[in-house]
């Protein structure tokens, strides 16, 4: 099954390919092929500047806010071409800055908020992180305890957030905080925009088992933000927060199957290089991986079709999240089995990012790449909604089964 694109989308695809031809160095093999980690991270930032300069960031945003005024279909085409070329689709913090808060501001923000913040996302003057999860409010996010109290012309914030990706690189954070402690837990929450560079905010990086410190914990001790920096209604932040899901999964439905297909190709090359490609058990497991990647492609097309018709992915998109996250743990486990003892003392650069597959172009035989991706995959069934949460969503919202009892 393939999705047909109209002529204007194919014209845009040709334009993107021309930008790639003009901006990438000769012989480019993908960012995963950049051997030095610091060079790879530097490329992320330089490439982000290229995307901004060539009008390829926020392409669906209105021109008056720095965007290109194009459609969601153009955004999908752009993501496809950048993924196939082995270059980042955005900067390191832009999963949050562009996909999340930029789109949320355009949907929910006041005119003053849009004019102040959206162009500065494109220019990278404002770099954002997401303040949602807390030590006792992860899967049950509505149980959050961070408080914000209105004091004159500003909100005073106290509490803690955790698993705040790239917070040590950000200068702004959007925070879900409880602003009405007497309301039902889903109704007393507001969505606040908070500057990080202030004495009341402390960011502590957390070193994870793969050696990275991309996740952080953030502490608020009488931190503050202006009273008018609430996105959406005061006490109505839960509905604003739920809007984030649609902005993340529509584009990913088009690009994730490409990334996982490239990773599977590297896995097959690893099996060949290790001389086990003809082993019947390995062949069977590789065949199972192939079937699951193809199933992922079709699941992605289903979500993408809805997205391109102008809708946003609904609760049924939890099928794709559940599917790819559990598949990825199986595929990377197979890679480590093929590597054998070399996985115990891995050589080669690990992934530059902590989400999903390694960057395109990573050497198929690199133990550092496979081990790092394997460790990253452990979190895939937790972040963006744990597998247990996804199953509950599908059971209750899609299949109509009774909700789990909340009492004892």
């Amino acid at each position: 099954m393939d999705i047909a694109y109209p002529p204007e989308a194919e014209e845009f695809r040709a334009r993107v390919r021309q930008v790639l031809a003009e901006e990438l160095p000769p012989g480019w093999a993908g960012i995963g092929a950049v051997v030095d980690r610091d060079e790879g991270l530097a490329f992320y930032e330089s490439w982000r500047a290229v995307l901004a300069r060539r009008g390829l960031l926020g392409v669906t945003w209105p021109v008056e806010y720095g965007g290109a005024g194009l459609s969601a279909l153009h955004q999908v085409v752009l993501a496809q071409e950048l993924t196939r070329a082995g270059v980042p689709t955005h900067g390191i913090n832009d999963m949050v800055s562009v996909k999340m808060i930029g789109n949320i501001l355009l949907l929910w923000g006041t005119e003053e908020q849009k004019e102040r913040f959206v162009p500065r996302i494109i220019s990278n003057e404002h770099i954002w992180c997401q303040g949602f999860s807390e030590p006792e409010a992860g899967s049950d996010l509505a149980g959050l305890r961070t408080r914000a109290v209105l004091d004159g012309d500003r909100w005073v914030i106290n509490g803690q957030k955790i698993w705040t990706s790239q917070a040590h690189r950000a200068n702004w954070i959007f925070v879900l905080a409880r602003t009405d402690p007497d309301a039902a837990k889903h109704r007393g929450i507001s969505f606040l925009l908070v500057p990080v560079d202030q004495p009341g905010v402390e960011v502590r990086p957390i070193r994870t088992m793969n050696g990275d410190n991309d996740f952080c914990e953030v502490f608020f001790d009488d931190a503050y933000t202006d009273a008018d920096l609430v996105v959406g209604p005061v006490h109505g932040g839960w509905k604003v927060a739920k809007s984030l899901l649609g902005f993340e999964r529509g584009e990913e439905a088009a690009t994730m199957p490409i990334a996982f297909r490239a990773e599977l190709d590297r896995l097959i090359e690893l099996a060949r290089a290790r001389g086990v490609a003809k082993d019947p058990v390995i062949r069977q497991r590789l065949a199972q991986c192939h079937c699951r990647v193809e199933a992922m492609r079709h699941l992605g097309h289903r979500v993408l079709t809805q997205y391109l018709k102008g809708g946003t992915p609904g609760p049924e998109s939890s099928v794709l999240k559940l599917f790819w996250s559990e598949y990825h743990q199986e595929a990377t486990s197979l890679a480590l089995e093929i590597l054998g003892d070399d996985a115990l003392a891995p050589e080669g650069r690990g992934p530059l990012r902590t989400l999903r597959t390694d960057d395109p172009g990573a050497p198929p035989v690199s133990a550092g790449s496979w081990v790092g991706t394997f460790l990253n995959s452990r979190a895939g069934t937790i972040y963006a909604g744990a597998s247990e949460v996804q199953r509950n969503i599908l059971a209750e919202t899609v299949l109509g089964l009774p909700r789990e009892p909340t009492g004892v």
Side-chain angles (χ1 to χ4, degrees), residues 192-408:
L192 306 176
L193 309 179
V194 181
V196 173
D197 298 332
Q198 59 169 297
V201 178
E202 180 183 0
V203 177
R204 299 179 188 171
I206 300 171
R207 186 160 300 277
T208 56
M209 64 182 177
N210 64 2
D212 290 334
N213 59 359
D214 291 340
F215 294 130
C216 303
E217 52 186 345
V218 182
F219 296 87
F220 302 95
D221 184 7
D222 286 341
Y224 69 88
T225 194
D226 295 339
D228 61 352
L229 293 188
V230 179
V231 180
V234 174
H235 313 319
W238 185 252
K239 189 172 183 180
V240 179
K242 288 178 67 176
S243 303
L244 286 171
L245 180 62
F247 295 124
E248 184 175 357
R249 294 198 179 166
E251 178 186 317
E252 287 187 348
T255 58
M256 279 201 303
I258 300 172
F260 281 111
R261 177 73 248 183
E263 182 184 71
L264 177 57
D265 290 341
R266 294 199 300 272
L267 180 58
I268 293 170
E269 287 302 313
L270 173 65
R272 289 171 176 161
R274 289 292 177 137
V276 297
K278 294 184 179 181
D279 179 286
V281 175
I282 297 296
R283 288 177 64 84
Q284 182 181 34
R285 293 177 67 182
L286 289 172
Q288 289 172 340
C289 289
H290 170 80
C291 292
R292 298 196 71 179
V293 168
E294 285 299 294
M296 193 187 311
R297 183 167 68 91
H298 289 279
L299 286 170
H301 278 166
R302 183 172 66 180
V303 175
L304 181 59
T305 299
Q306 181 182 3
Y307 182 68
L308 296 183
K309 287 180 178 179
T312 57
E316 66 278 0
S317 65
S318 291
V319 173
L320 183 58
K321 166 58 172 65
L322 183 66
F323 190 91
W324 73 254
S325 61
E326 299 195 347
Y327 156 77
H328 200 213
Q329 293 182 356
E330 296 174 10
T332 53
S333 295
L334 175 57
L336 264 60
E337 291 181 36
I338 295 173
L339 284 169
D341 292 345
D342 287 344
L344 299 176
E347 296 182 356
R349 177 175 68 75
L352 295 175
R353 55 185 183 175
T354 56
L355 305 178
R356 300 172 180 80
T357 68
D358 196 357
D359 288 301
V365 297
S366 170
S369 171
W370 286 115
V371 171
T373 307
F374 166 82
L375 294 174
N376 290 342
S377 75
R378 302 300 97 182
T381 52
I382 300 174
Y383 65 69
S387 289
E388 292 78 8
V389 172
Q390 303 304 318
R391 286 185 169 90
N392 283 344
I393 291 172
L394 292 169
E396 297 168 7
T397 309
V398 179
L399 300 179
L401 298 178
R403 295 180 63 86
E404 285 190 343
T406 56
V408 177

Side-chain angles (χ1 to χ4, degrees), residues 145-161:
R145 298 181 180 181
T146 294
R147 294 279 300 274
V149 177
L150 190 60
D151 182 10
D153 60 353
R154 66 182 190 176
W155 295 95
V156 179
I157 306 160
N158 287 278
Q160 178 186 358
K161 298 294 180 178

